[in-house]
Amino acid sequence: MRIQGLKRAAAGVAVMSAALLAGVVPGTASASSGPATGTDPSQCAVAGNICVWEGALTGRWALYEDIGTACVTAPFGVLATVNMTDRRVEFYRDGDCTGTSAHSEPSLGLHSWKSVGALYSFRAV
C-alpha cells in the first residue's frame, strides 16, 4: 500500500515538473488566507498541498496549502487535481460545498474528470 502512495506522489512530481518546464505560471492561494502570489509551482508536489486545474491538468491552476474541513471556493471551474494532503478531498458543483459531492479525490491522488464537468468548491474530509 505504501508503494502505491509513493507512485502517486511521483506522478504528482512528474506532472508539476512538466508544468514548470513548459513555463506554466500558477495562480496561487491559501485555503486559510485566500489568494496569494509568488509560490513556486513545484509546491504542488509538497505533502499537505493541493493543486486544482481549470482543464485536464492544463490551463490555469491554483495551489492551496493547509486546507481543512472548511469549504474552499475555487477561482474557476475545476477539472483536475493533485491532492498531496493526507485526507480525501470532496469536490462540489456549487461554490459553497452544499449538495452531494460530485467527485472524491483520495489522498495522494492525481485525476482529471472532464466527463463530470467543472466543479466549483472543495474541502477535506
Side-chain angles (χ1 to χ4, degrees):
M1 195 159 206
R2 174 109 169 103
I3 291 183
Q4 279 185 327
L6 291 174
K7 286 180 182 178
R8 287 182 187 160
V13 170
V15 167
M16 291 316 307
S17 297
L20 181 59
L21 290 173
V24 175
V25 178
T28 60
S30 167
S32 59
S33 65
T37 58
T39 303
D40 182 342
S42 67
Q43 294 300 305
C44 288
V46 172
N49 292 348
I50 185 169
C51 283
V52 295
W53 274 265
E54 183 176 39
L57 299 173
T58 62
R60 292 186 298 169
W61 61 281
L63 166 69
Y64 292 87
E65 301 171 316
D66 304 320
I67 68 164
T69 58
C71 185
V72 176
T73 301
F76 44 75
V78 174
L79 289 175
T81 188
V82 172
N83 176 11
M84 296 302 291
T85 70
D86 62 353
R87 297 165 68 177
R88 186 177 78 244
V89 175
E90 298 291 329
F91 287 82
Y92 299 85
R93 294 191 189 286
D94 58 23
D96 59 1
C97 299
T98 58
T100 304
S101 169
H103 175 73
S104 182
E105 186 64 33
S107 173
L108 302 178
L110 164 68
H111 292 97
S112 65
W113 53 83
K114 289 176 79 172
S115 63
V116 172
L119 305 175
Y120 294 91
S121 62
F122 58 93
R123 66 174 158 210
V125 293

